[in-house]
Amino acid sequence: MIEVKGLEKLQTKLRNIQKLEHRTAPLMEQLGEILKNSIEDSFENEKSPFGERWKPLAKSTLQNKLKKGKSERILRREGDLADNWVLKSDDDKAVISNNANNKGFAYGLAHQFGANGAGRGKRTKIPARAFLPVDKNGKLAKDVKREIKAEVISFIKSI
């Protein structure tokens, strides 16, 4: 006969996990903060959450910014994109959003993925300067994934 002992703690933990329904808001908020911090770090360090340095500003863009007394920092015209990330979370999800736009054009997407098009009567190309911690295939940046995993494990251990 085989007897397994010491499962009481595991059984208690599993019962507590089952009871978590509608009590995960603190975890969702913390996971949202991890994502939001990653985005903000991208703007601060001018590199993607995957460690890729952003392409420098074109000389003409830099000269124009300096002429207007603007910051030389990349993606920092008025700060609408870099500084206005909003986190909303509940028991089921965390949503980080930003409604920055220029005359209705949601330029965050253009900067995240890059864009080709016409602007101000001339052909423009916006290089991709990724700031979201997820790639085009839906994979999280390794550091962000590691942080999220640690936070979830910590939360589960605390119940």
Side-chain angles (χ1 to χ4, degrees):
M1 177 171 114
I2 298 173
E3 186 177 344
V4 179
K5 294 184 177 186
L7 293 179
E8 296 82 17
K9 286 174 91 176
L10 176 61
Q11 288 172 331
T12 300
K13 191 67 78 176
L14 290 172
R15 277 193 293 278
N16 288 342
I17 290 171
Q18 284 178 324
K19 294 176 187 176
L20 272 180
E21 186 178 357
H22 306 301
R23 292 189 308 162
T24 55
L27 173 62
M28 292 297 120
E29 182 173 358
Q30 190 58 40
L31 298 181
E33 285 293 338
I34 291 169
L35 295 170
K36 184 176 177 235
N37 289 341
S38 174
I39 293 167
E40 291 171 345
D41 287 348
S42 288
F43 285 94
E44 183 63 31
N45 300 316
E46 296 186 348
K47 66 180 183 179
S48 81
F50 296 89
E52 300 155 348
R53 299 236 32 99
W54 286 350
K55 185 174 181 178
L57 294 173
K59 286 183 182 180
S60 59
T61 302
L62 185 57
Q63 289 172 345
N64 195 26
K65 287 180 86 163
L66 292 173
K67 191 164 103 178
K68 293 179 178 181
K70 302 285 183 177
S71 169
E72 294 178 39
R73 303 216 13 123
I74 301 171
L75 298 185
R76 289 285 188 152
R77 181 177 290 156
E78 304 296 329
D80 291 343
L81 184 60
D83 301 329
N84 289 312
W85 294 95
V86 177
L87 166 61
K88 291 184 182 178
S89 61
D90 59 27
D91 285 311
D92 299 318
K93 64 186 172 297
V95 176
I96 297 93
S97 62
N98 183 312
N99 292 326
N101 70 79
N102 184 2
K103 299 176 184 167
F105 173 64
Y107 53 84
L109 288 174
H111 289 296
Q112 174 70 23
F113 299 108
N116 291 310
R120 297 185 190 158
K122 61 182 178 181
R123 193 96 181 124
T124 60
K125 179 176 170 116
I126 298 172
R129 293 184 176 110
F131 49 84
L132 298 177
V134 61
D135 69 14
K136 60 184 173 188
N137 298 317
K139 290 189 178 187
L140 281 173
K142 287 180 185 178
D143 290 348
V144 173
K145 187 175 182 178
R146 187 173 44 252
E147 264 190 88
I148 287 174
K149 183 178 179 181
E151 192 61 39
V152 170
I153 290 169
S154 175
F155 180 79
I156 290 171
K157 283 181 176 180
S158 74
I159 56 175

